mmCIF file of all heavy atoms in Angstrom:
data_model
loop_
_atom_site.group_PDB
_atom_site.id
_atom_site.type_symbol
_atom_site.label_atom_id
_atom_site.label_comp_id
_atom_site.label_asym_id
_atom_site.label_seq_id
_atom_site.Cartn_x
_atom_site.Cartn_y
_atom_site.Cartn_z
ATOM 1 N N CYS A 29 -100.656 -0.500 18.023
ATOM 2 C CA CYS A 29 -100.611 0.898 17.599
ATOM 3 C C CYS A 29 -100.876 0.976 16.096
ATOM 4 O O CYS A 29 -100.232 0.295 15.302
ATOM 5 C CB CYS A 29 -99.254 1.510 17.919
ATOM 6 S SG CYS A 29 -98.993 1.597 19.693
ATOM 7 N N GLY A 30 -101.842 1.798 15.739
ATOM 8 C CA GLY A 30 -102.253 1.910 14.343
ATOM 9 C C GLY A 30 -101.571 3.073 13.643
ATOM 10 O O GLY A 30 -100.621 3.656 14.163
ATOM 11 N N PRO A 31 -102.060 3.416 12.482
ATOM 12 C CA PRO A 31 -101.372 4.396 11.640
ATOM 13 C C PRO A 31 -101.638 5.842 12.058
ATOM 14 O O PRO A 31 -102.668 6.153 12.651
ATOM 15 C CB PRO A 31 -102.003 4.154 10.266
ATOM 16 C CG PRO A 31 -103.408 3.752 10.586
ATOM 17 C CD PRO A 31 -103.297 2.921 11.842
ATOM 18 N N THR A 32 -100.685 6.691 11.728
ATOM 19 C CA THR A 32 -100.910 8.128 11.744
ATOM 20 C C THR A 32 -101.388 8.459 10.341
ATOM 21 O O THR A 32 -100.701 8.152 9.365
ATOM 22 C CB THR A 32 -99.598 8.869 12.055
ATOM 23 O OG1 THR A 32 -99.093 8.346 13.285
ATOM 24 C CG2 THR A 32 -99.826 10.366 12.187
ATOM 25 N N HIS A 38 -97.160 2.471 3.652
ATOM 26 C CA HIS A 38 -96.155 1.775 2.848
ATOM 27 C C HIS A 38 -96.086 0.313 3.275
ATOM 28 O O HIS A 38 -96.713 -0.096 4.251
ATOM 29 C CB HIS A 38 -94.810 2.499 2.879
ATOM 30 C CG HIS A 38 -94.166 2.645 4.228
ATOM 31 N ND1 HIS A 38 -93.816 1.573 5.013
ATOM 32 C CD2 HIS A 38 -93.804 3.763 4.935
ATOM 33 C CE1 HIS A 38 -93.255 2.002 6.129
ATOM 34 N NE2 HIS A 38 -93.247 3.326 6.112
ATOM 35 N N GLY A 40 -93.870 -1.374 4.661
ATOM 36 C CA GLY A 40 -93.374 -1.582 6.032
ATOM 37 C C GLY A 40 -94.492 -1.425 7.047
ATOM 38 O O GLY A 40 -94.606 -2.200 8.006
ATOM 39 N N ASN A 41 -95.369 -0.443 6.838
ATOM 40 C CA ASN A 41 -96.517 -0.252 7.740
ATOM 41 C C ASN A 41 -97.443 -1.474 7.713
ATOM 42 O O ASN A 41 -98.171 -1.726 8.667
ATOM 43 C CB ASN A 41 -97.361 0.961 7.342
ATOM 44 C CG ASN A 41 -96.601 2.274 7.373
ATOM 45 O OD1 ASN A 41 -96.723 3.081 6.464
ATOM 46 N ND2 ASN A 41 -95.814 2.491 8.412
ATOM 47 N N ARG A 43 -96.508 -4.526 7.564
ATOM 48 C CA ARG A 43 -95.958 -5.704 8.245
ATOM 49 C C ARG A 43 -96.628 -5.950 9.605
ATOM 50 O O ARG A 43 -97.097 -7.064 9.849
ATOM 51 C CB ARG A 43 -94.430 -5.601 8.377
ATOM 52 C CG ARG A 43 -93.841 -6.901 8.861
ATOM 53 C CD ARG A 43 -92.333 -6.948 8.868
ATOM 54 N NE ARG A 43 -91.912 -8.328 9.119
ATOM 55 C CZ ARG A 43 -90.702 -8.689 9.490
ATOM 56 N NH1 ARG A 43 -89.761 -7.780 9.621
ATOM 57 N NH2 ARG A 43 -90.414 -9.954 9.711
ATOM 58 N N PRO A 44 -96.672 -4.949 10.497
ATOM 59 C CA PRO A 44 -97.364 -5.230 11.769
ATOM 60 C C PRO A 44 -98.828 -5.605 11.563
ATOM 61 O O PRO A 44 -99.363 -6.422 12.318
ATOM 62 C CB PRO A 44 -97.226 -3.927 12.570
ATOM 63 C CG PRO A 44 -96.816 -2.876 11.589
ATOM 64 C CD PRO A 44 -96.097 -3.600 10.488
ATOM 65 N N ARG A 74 -97.346 15.642 11.891
ATOM 66 C CA ARG A 74 -97.159 15.259 10.483
ATOM 67 C C ARG A 74 -98.441 15.509 9.675
ATOM 68 O O ARG A 74 -98.394 15.812 8.489
ATOM 69 C CB ARG A 74 -96.755 13.788 10.374
ATOM 70 C CG ARG A 74 -95.297 13.557 10.769
ATOM 71 C CD ARG A 74 -94.941 12.088 10.737
ATOM 72 N NE ARG A 74 -95.637 11.349 11.789
ATOM 73 C CZ ARG A 74 -95.544 10.034 11.967
ATOM 74 N NH1 ARG A 74 -94.831 9.300 11.146
ATOM 75 N NH2 ARG A 74 -96.190 9.438 12.961
ATOM 76 N N TRP A 205 -98.198 12.414 21.442
ATOM 77 C CA TRP A 205 -98.585 11.172 20.791
ATOM 78 C C TRP A 205 -98.798 10.029 21.797
ATOM 79 O O TRP A 205 -99.782 9.288 21.725
ATOM 80 C CB TRP A 205 -97.500 10.810 19.770
ATOM 81 C CG TRP A 205 -97.592 9.468 19.130
ATOM 82 C CD1 TRP A 205 -98.730 8.783 18.811
ATOM 83 C CD2 TRP A 205 -96.498 8.644 18.719
ATOM 84 N NE1 TRP A 205 -98.410 7.591 18.206
ATOM 85 C CE2 TRP A 205 -97.042 7.485 18.136
ATOM 86 C CE3 TRP A 205 -95.110 8.790 18.772
ATOM 87 C CZ2 TRP A 205 -96.241 6.465 17.620
ATOM 88 C CZ3 TRP A 205 -94.332 7.775 18.243
ATOM 89 C CH2 TRP A 205 -94.884 6.627 17.682
ATOM 90 N N GLY A 226 -96.731 -3.721 18.117
ATOM 91 C CA GLY A 226 -96.361 -2.687 17.160
ATOM 92 C C GLY A 226 -94.993 -2.997 16.593
ATOM 93 O O GLY A 226 -94.385 -4.022 16.947
ATOM 94 N N GLY A 227 -94.522 -2.135 15.724
ATOM 95 C CA GLY A 227 -93.187 -2.320 15.150
ATOM 96 C C GLY A 227 -92.114 -2.050 16.196
ATOM 97 O O GLY A 227 -92.340 -1.345 17.181
ATOM 98 N N ARG A 228 -90.947 -2.624 15.961
ATOM 99 C CA ARG A 228 -89.855 -2.531 16.925
ATOM 100 C C ARG A 228 -89.471 -1.082 17.229
ATOM 101 O O ARG A 228 -89.055 -0.772 18.347
ATOM 102 C CB ARG A 228 -88.655 -3.292 16.356
ATOM 103 C CG ARG A 228 -87.398 -3.140 17.163
ATOM 104 C CD ARG A 228 -86.368 -4.157 16.751
ATOM 105 N NE ARG A 228 -86.835 -5.502 17.059
ATOM 106 C CZ ARG A 228 -86.256 -6.613 16.635
ATOM 107 N NH1 ARG A 228 -85.204 -6.548 15.868
ATOM 108 N NH2 ARG A 228 -86.725 -7.789 16.975
ATOM 109 N N ASP A 229 -89.591 -0.206 16.251
ATOM 110 C CA ASP A 229 -89.223 1.202 16.477
ATOM 111 C C ASP A 229 -90.097 1.846 17.559
ATOM 112 O O ASP A 229 -89.727 2.862 18.131
ATOM 113 C CB ASP A 229 -89.355 2.010 15.178
ATOM 114 C CG ASP A 229 -90.761 1.956 14.597
ATOM 115 O OD1 ASP A 229 -91.399 0.875 14.662
ATOM 116 O OD2 ASP A 229 -91.232 2.985 14.088
ATOM 117 N N LEU A 230 -91.252 1.240 17.828
ATOM 118 C CA LEU A 230 -92.134 1.850 18.825
ATOM 119 C C LEU A 230 -91.704 1.534 20.263
ATOM 120 O O LEU A 230 -92.176 2.167 21.205
ATOM 121 C CB LEU A 230 -93.584 1.375 18.611
ATOM 122 C CG LEU A 230 -94.206 1.717 17.258
ATOM 123 C CD1 LEU A 230 -95.681 1.327 17.257
ATOM 124 C CD2 LEU A 230 -94.069 3.199 16.940
ATOM 125 N N ASN A 257 -92.637 -6.382 16.082
ATOM 126 C CA ASN A 257 -92.129 -6.949 14.824
ATOM 127 C C ASN A 257 -90.866 -6.227 14.366
ATOM 128 O O ASN A 257 -90.680 -5.044 14.637
ATOM 129 C CB ASN A 257 -93.204 -6.911 13.715
ATOM 130 C CG ASN A 257 -93.600 -5.513 13.299
ATOM 131 O OD1 ASN A 257 -94.543 -4.950 13.858
ATOM 132 N ND2 ASN A 257 -92.900 -4.922 12.348
ATOM 133 N N GLY A 258 -90.033 -6.982 13.637
ATOM 134 C CA GLY A 258 -88.817 -6.420 13.071
ATOM 135 C C GLY A 258 -89.116 -5.536 11.873
ATOM 136 O O GLY A 258 -90.252 -5.459 11.399
ATOM 137 N N PHE A 259 -88.055 -4.918 11.359
ATOM 138 C CA PHE A 259 -88.253 -3.948 10.289
ATOM 139 C C PHE A 259 -88.162 -4.562 8.902
ATOM 140 O O PHE A 259 -87.504 -5.576 8.678
ATOM 141 C CB PHE A 259 -87.273 -2.788 10.452
ATOM 142 C CG PHE A 259 -88.002 -1.553 10.873
ATOM 143 C CD1 PHE A 259 -88.917 -1.604 11.913
ATOM 144 C CD2 PHE A 259 -87.830 -0.354 10.190
ATOM 145 C CE1 PHE A 259 -89.641 -0.482 12.275
ATOM 146 C CE2 PHE A 259 -88.556 0.770 10.554
ATOM 147 C CZ PHE A 259 -89.456 0.711 11.587
ATOM 148 N N LEU A 260 -88.852 -3.925 7.984
ATOM 149 C CA LEU A 260 -88.823 -4.322 6.586
ATOM 150 C C LEU A 260 -87.929 -3.351 5.824
ATOM 151 O O LEU A 260 -88.022 -2.130 6.019
ATOM 152 C CB LEU A 260 -90.263 -4.286 6.048
ATOM 153 C CG LEU A 260 -90.524 -4.571 4.573
ATOM 154 C CD1 LEU A 260 -91.900 -5.216 4.436
ATOM 155 C CD2 LEU A 260 -90.497 -3.291 3.739
ATOM 156 N N MET A 267 -86.332 2.053 3.754
ATOM 157 C CA MET A 267 -87.177 2.935 2.938
ATOM 158 C C MET A 267 -87.039 4.361 3.438
ATOM 159 O O MET A 267 -87.118 4.599 4.639
ATOM 160 C CB MET A 267 -88.639 2.531 3.087
ATOM 161 C CG MET A 267 -89.123 1.617 2.000
ATOM 162 S SD MET A 267 -90.885 1.377 2.139
ATOM 163 C CE MET A 267 -90.965 0.305 3.534
HETATM 164 P P1 LIG B 501 -96.488 5.002 11.815
HETATM 165 O O1 LIG B 501 -97.718 5.320 11.025
HETATM 166 O O2 LIG B 501 -95.248 5.631 11.281
HETATM 167 O O3 LIG B 501 -96.677 5.252 13.296
HETATM 168 O O4 LIG B 501 -96.229 3.424 11.668
HETATM 169 C C1 LIG B 501 -97.251 2.474 11.785
HETATM 170 C C2 LIG B 501 -96.682 1.114 12.122
HETATM 171 O O5 LIG B 501 -95.793 0.642 11.109
HETATM 172 C C3 LIG B 501 -95.868 1.047 13.408
HETATM 173 O O6 LIG B 501 -96.204 -0.136 14.113
HETATM 174 C C4 LIG B 501 -94.441 0.999 12.940
HETATM 175 O O7 LIG B 501 -93.594 0.368 13.862
HETATM 176 C C5 LIG B 501 -94.581 0.165 11.693
HETATM 177 N N1 LIG B 501 -93.493 0.349 10.717
HETATM 178 C C6 LIG B 501 -93.104 1.514 10.120
HETATM 179 N N2 LIG B 501 -92.109 1.305 9.235
HETATM 180 C C7 LIG B 501 -91.844 -0.033 9.253
HETATM 181 C C8 LIG B 501 -90.926 -0.886 8.548
HETATM 182 N N3 LIG B 501 -90.084 -0.409 7.622
HETATM 183 N N4 LIG B 501 -90.945 -2.208 8.824
HETATM 184 C C9 LIG B 501 -91.800 -2.718 9.730
HETATM 185 N N5 LIG B 501 -92.698 -1.984 10.431
HETATM 186 C C10 LIG B 501 -92.729 -0.655 10.203
#
Side-chain angles (χ1 to χ4, degrees):
C29 294
T32 305
H38 61 60
N41 299 136
R43 190 173 190 196
R74 285 176 292 178
W205 171 34
R228 173 166 295 169
D229 58 322
L230 299 186
N257 65 269
F259 251 48
L260 176 149
M267 264 187 286

